[in-house]
């Protein structure tokens, strides 16, 4: 007998993660709730049961939670726990950063939930995204203490940046747009002699051809 997808088991698993406490193995990833939320919502949507297994009130609540993770200076946090509210000031704001992966997952999740993105701080987000771009065309993960982009130089962040730009409609006429030519040069320089793509120039090719081609 040919193997089949155990759809009902996958649905139960996703719903457990969505509506109850996280499984023990994931409890240490509380700060990555936006990432987990995207994969849960995406899984239910791909299985065609998101609207069947959630109410309209549920989906509105999920949308509101995502917007609570929006950073005042653009982008989205990974979870609400980093939001300092009225205690946020210049001296401690680096402890409350938006990050590029959470921002992509937040926008994609809003789209899955049917939101019109009307509450997204579009200009602030595109401005923040531009500040994350590094001199070699790639992107950092977040802004550091001095407002500099740190971490990154990773093809996955390039994919996130390209997707954010596309979702928010950044274009050449937009002064806050990213350096698209620089991004393309980085992607092209990451192609290896085997024909695949690496995370960056002079690295070995592995599971990044999709993100490289999608970002380009």
């Amino acid at each position: 007998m040919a193997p089949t997808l155990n759809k009902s088991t996958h649905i139960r698993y996703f719903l457990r993660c969505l509506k109850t406490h996280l499984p023990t193995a994931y409890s240490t990833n509380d700060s990555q709730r936006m990432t987990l939320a995207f994969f849960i919502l995406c899984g239910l949507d791909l299985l065609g049961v998101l609207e069947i297994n959630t109410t309209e009130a549920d989906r509105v609540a999920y949308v509101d939670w995502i917007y609570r993770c929006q950073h005042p200076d653009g982008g989205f946090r990974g979870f609400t726990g980093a939001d300092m509210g009225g205690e946020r000031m210049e001296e401690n704001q680096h402890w409350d950063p938006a990050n590029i992966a959470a921002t992509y997952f937040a926008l994609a999740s809003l789209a899955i939930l049917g939101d019109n993105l009307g509450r997204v701080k579009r200009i602030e987000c595109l401005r923040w995204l531009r500040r994350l771009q590094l001199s070699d065309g790639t992107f950092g993960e977040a802004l550091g203490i001095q407002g500099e982009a740190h971490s990154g130089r990773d093809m996955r962040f390039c994919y996130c940046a390209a997707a954010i730009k596309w979702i928010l409609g950044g274009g050449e006429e937009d002064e806050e747009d990213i350096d698209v030519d620089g991004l393309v040069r980085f992607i092209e320089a990451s192609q290896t002699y085997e024909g695949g793509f690496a995370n960056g120039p002079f690295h070995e090719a592995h599971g990044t051809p999709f993100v490289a081609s999608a970002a380009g």
Side-chain angles (χ1 to χ4, degrees), residues 7 13 31 109-110 135 141-142 157 163 167-168 191 196 205:
K7 184 176 177 180
Y13 173 75
S31 63
S109 295
L110 288 172
S135 59
E141 181 180 6
F157 293 150
I167 293 170
L168 296 182
Q191 189 169 204

Side-chain angles (χ1 to χ4, degrees), residues 18 34 37 41 50 55-70 76 80 106-120:
L18 182 65
M34 191 66 74
L41 293 171
L50 177 60
T55 66
E56 184 176 353
D58 287 335
R59 296 190 293 276
V60 168
Y62 302 151
V63 168
D64 288 342
W65 177 81
I66 293 171
Y67 277 115
R68 285 201 299 274
C69 293
Q70 186 167 209
F76 287 78
T80 55
L107 294 174
S109 295
L110 288 172
I112 290 171
L113 291 165
D115 183 68
N116 66 4
L117 308 183
R119 287 185 275 168
V120 174

Side-chain angles (χ1 to χ4, degrees), residues 13-215:
Y13 173 75
F14 284 134
L15 290 175
R16 178 202 168 183
C17 294
L18 182 65
K19 297 189 174 185
T20 66
H21 297 294
L22 289 174
T24 302
Y26 297 138
S27 60
T28 56
N29 292 317
D30 193 56
S31 63
Q32 304 300 322
R33 278 185 176 270
M34 191 66 74
T35 302
L36 298 174
F38 166 75
F39 285 109
I40 293 166
L41 293 171
C42 188
L44 290 170
D45 190 45
L46 285 171
L47 293 171
V49 297
L50 177 60
E51 293 193 2
I52 296 173
N53 285 276
T54 60
T55 66
E56 184 176 353
D58 287 335
R59 296 190 293 276
V60 168
Y62 302 151
V63 168
D64 288 342
W65 177 81
I66 293 171
Y67 277 115
R68 285 201 299 274
C69 293
Q70 186 167 209
H71 197 278
D73 297 330
F76 287 78
R77 306 171 177 91
F79 76 139
T80 55
D83 185 359
M84 298 180 182
E87 300 300 319
R88 186 173 184 270
M89 57 187 69
E90 186 175 352
E91 291 77 12
N92 63 18
Q93 63 181 355
H94 58 279
W95 295 109
D96 176 27
N99 77 73
I100 196 168
T103 299
Y104 164 66
F105 290 134
L107 294 174
S109 295
L110 288 172
I112 290 171
L113 291 165
D115 183 68
N116 66 4
L117 308 183
R119 287 185 275 168
V120 174
K121 297 178 181 292
R122 176 183 177 273
I123 295 300
E124 292 87 343
C125 190
L126 290 172
R127 184 180 298 127
W128 164 79
L129 186 65
R130 184 69 183 90
R131 292 177 65 194
L132 283 177
Q133 192 164 22
L134 303 170
S135 59
D136 61 359
T138 186
F139 289 81
E141 181 180 6
L143 297 178
I145 296 177
Q146 302 300 323
E148 78 286 359
H150 66 87
S151 186
R153 285 191 165 84
D154 186 311
M155 194 65 71
R156 292 166 295 185
F157 293 150
C158 292
Y159 170 78
C160 290
I164 292 167
K165 166 192 160 58
W166 184 82
I167 293 170
L168 296 182
E172 293 181 1
E173 75 287 351
D174 193 324
E175 65 178 3
E176 305 300 342
D177 195 23
I178 63 174
D179 177 9
V180 175
D181 291 339
L183 173 58
V184 171
R185 284 194 296 272
F186 175 81
I187 294 171
E188 290 176 340
S190 301
Q191 189 169 204
T192 72
Y193 69 90
E194 303 123 313
F197 286 86
N199 255 344
F202 309 113
H203 293 187
E204 65 176 351
H206 51 82
T208 55
F210 166 74
V211 293
S213 57

